[in-house]
Amino acid sequence: MANWTRLVTVLVALTVLTRLPSFARTPWNPDEGYLATQARQLAEGGVLYDTVVDRKPPFVPLLYRGAFALFGDDSLWPVRVAAIVAVLVGAMLAASLAGRRWGERAAWTAGVCYVFLTVGLKPEDTQAATFEVFMLPWTVAAVWCAQRARWLGAGLAVAGAVLSKQTGGAVLLPVLALLWQARAGWGAGFRVGAGAALPVVSAALAFDPGRFLYWIATGSGSYLSADGAGFKPLLRALAGVGLLTLAALPLVVALVRVARSRTAVRSAGRAPLDGTADLWIWLAASLGAATVGFQFFGHYFLQLVPPLALLGAAALQELTARAATVALAATAFLACVFVGWGFTDSRTEVDHARRMADTVRSYTDRKDRVLLWGMHPEGYWLAKRSPASRYLTAGFLTNFSGGRGETRVGERYAMEGAWPHFERELRRRPPELIVDDSRGKGYGVQQIPTLRRHLARHYEKVATIDGSSFYLRTRPEIRSSRAGGAPLPR
């Protein structure tokens, strides 16, 4: 394609500019803190899906581990740069897809819109270097390969998406749609299936199939349930879809206008948006994937960005050059608003995490292990203290989730076998300090009998910071003086 070098240069500049807010705050959300803490655990000899656990596939934790090994683990700037590269690769592939279908103008539109839409949600969901950011280029690569009948490559890209985040597997549907449209036959289908399956099976074998399957699929039944969730997930879903729709509003308006236009049918001799069936399937599959688990965190909706950018490019192709330019300029303006939001967003949670980390350091030594009973594992990374348990958030042990609220929360809703394992960890290597960071939520230690009893026997409350309570392990002589069951200080 002519002017490809110029397009890439523009995409590099736009990607860097739209992600500048990511360098202004550390961390942006608990996922970044979780991944950073995992990376340190792995560096200290931890084993993924054994002593280092999460409900996610291995690619992104290992990416963090590799970045920390090369550049040190005191800052997140290496993974922020990696996120820029991931967005840029996705935008370039989207531009190539559109250029092959509709020409050079569509390539520019798709690439630029892709970059703009990746910041079209709350800053904590778009500026963080987390799972969806690294999943998206794999999904675009899968469709890019399928469009060129590179069926094995398409399958391998599907596997890359799945190993970044499970819901990335939704891109298999548009790949299969393209395979069917091409009448490629069973051989092509076999190559797609083999390419998609072999890397995932290899990862399962590398990390122990039973543990791998448990942590990325079968062990999350309660977490993925919507029982009793009420309207909170629905409101979160509406907020996420609403923000992304706002960011893409000029493209959405163009899509609606072109889809309803009879003039386009008469003048072009074809239906508007011809040749976009796979993109609509991709968009629908991505929306379905974002609903899995009924959590509706904002970053889930980033999965809609690639098909939405490509459909927007297709729609703008049907408009006059002037109308398309106005729509693209409006999209750029909205992206600037979201970037500005990133620079001005509240730092309340980050400031709390830093104060908590400072307090943890003041009561412990570098070799001490601590337990942060909450949903913000970034405290481990900020405090430079090792977690006393493989469960980095209380959610594994109580089923609490910020996306669903406080329904079905408590010990009996924990992951199967979690509490016996957790109690063994506390006995084998007792944390020097336990922090109740629930701050009034329903999973606080006073609502968790096993942990409450453990604190009463072995710990003493020493501080309260921003609503978080700090419990220091008592020395043997202090424990003997309290053997009569004296209450904890308040």
Side-chain angles (χ1 to χ4, degrees), residues 137-151:
W138 290 110
T139 64
V140 190
V143 178
W144 186 92
C145 288
Q147 183 174 265
R148 287 161 173 76
R150 299 176 184 177
W151 304 115

Side-chain angles (χ1 to χ4, degrees), residues 40 64-79 381:
R40 278 189 180 156
Y64 267 66
R65 171 69 186 99
F68 282 3
L70 291 173
F71 302 103
D73 64 3
D74 290 332
S75 172
L76 295 182
W77 75 262
V79 292
W381 181 72

Side-chain angles (χ1 to χ4, degrees), residues 49 53-56 166 209-225 390-391 395-399 404 413-418:
Y49 306 119
V53 299
D54 193 10
R55 294 182 174 100
K56 298 294 193 300
Q166 298 93 318
R211 290 200 299 259
F212 182 84
L213 184 63
Y214 175 80
W215 282 104
I216 72 168
T218 61
S220 301
S222 296
Y223 181 79
L224 297 178
S225 171
R390 67 177 183 173
Y391 304 111
F396 296 108
L397 295 154
T398 65
N399 197 43
R404 183 178 49 243
Y413 298 112
M415 295 184 75
E416 183 180 356

Side-chain angles (χ1 to χ4, degrees), residues 30-32 34-35 38 48-50 52-62 130-132 135 161-168 203 207 211-220 223-224 292 295 297 299-300 393 396 401 415:
D31 281 354
E32 282 191 325
Y34 202 114
L35 286 161
Q38 279 188 306
L48 200 57
Y49 306 119
D50 184 7
V52 181
V53 299
D54 193 10
R55 294 182 174 100
K56 298 294 193 300
F59 177 75
V60 183
L62 294 178
T130 51
F131 301 95
E132 288 81 7
M135 176 187 72
V162 171
L163 291 173
S164 299
K165 189 182 177 187
Q166 298 93 318
T167 57
F207 294 108
R211 290 200 299 259
F212 182 84
L213 184 63
Y214 175 80
W215 282 104
I216 72 168
T218 61
S220 301
Y223 181 79
L224 297 178
V292 173
Q295 303 289 325
F297 292 108
H299 47 85
Y300 288 10
T393 72
F396 296 108
S401 166
M415 295 184 75

Side-chain angles (χ1 to χ4, degrees), residues 20 82 128 155 201 207 234 256 316 386 397 400:
L20 282 178
V201 172
F207 294 108
L234 176 60
V256 173
L316 295 190
S386 298
L397 295 154
F400 179 85

Side-chain angles (χ1 to χ4, degrees), residues 76-306:
L76 295 182
W77 75 262
V79 292
R80 300 283 168 75
V81 172
I84 289 175
V85 173
V87 172
L88 176 61
V89 170
M92 291 169 57
L93 289 170
S96 180
L97 269 168
R100 186 180 179 92
R101 294 191 184 196
W102 307 297
E104 184 173 344
R105 193 179 99 179
W108 279 80
T109 303
V112 169
C113 288
Y114 183 102
V115 174
F116 288 158
L117 295 185
T118 58
V119 296
L121 290 161
K122 291 177 64 176
E124 67 185 58
D125 295 314
T126 59
Q127 296 294 338
T130 51
F131 301 95
E132 288 81 7
V133 171
F134 297 110
M135 176 187 72
L136 289 188
W138 290 110
T139 64
V140 190
V143 178
W144 186 92
C145 288
Q147 183 174 265
R148 287 161 173 76
R150 299 176 184 177
W151 304 115
L152 179 61
L156 291 171
V158 170
V162 171
L163 291 173
S164 299
K165 189 182 177 187
Q166 298 93 318
T167 57
V171 77
L172 182 61
L173 289 179
V175 167
L176 293 177
L178 286 169
L179 189 151
W180 181 81
Q181 289 176 6
R183 301 292 191 271
W186 289 104
F190 175 79
R191 290 195 290 276
V192 170
L198 286 177
V200 177
V201 172
S202 298
L205 294 173
F207 294 108
D208 182 272
R211 290 200 299 259
F212 182 84
L213 184 63
Y214 175 80
W215 282 104
I216 72 168
T218 61
S220 301
S222 296
Y223 181 79
L224 297 178
S225 171
D227 290 351
F231 288 104
K232 184 172 182 177
L234 176 60
L235 295 175
R236 293 179 66 89
L238 292 174
V241 172
L243 280 174
L244 187 58
T245 301
L246 174 62
L249 189 59
L251 307 181
V252 173
V253 171
L255 274 169
V256 173
R257 177 180 173 183
V258 170
R260 298 177 61 181
S261 173
R262 296 182 180 180
T263 302
V265 176
R266 290 195 298 269
S267 62
R270 58 182 174 81
L273 303 178
D274 189 32
T276 60
D278 60 308
L279 301 182
W280 288 107
I281 291 171
W282 190 2
L283 183 67
S286 298
L287 183 60
T291 69
V292 173
F294 301 96
Q295 303 289 325
F296 300 121
F297 292 108
H299 47 85
Y300 288 10
F301 296 99
L302 283 173
Q303 194 162 352
L304 279 65
V305 164

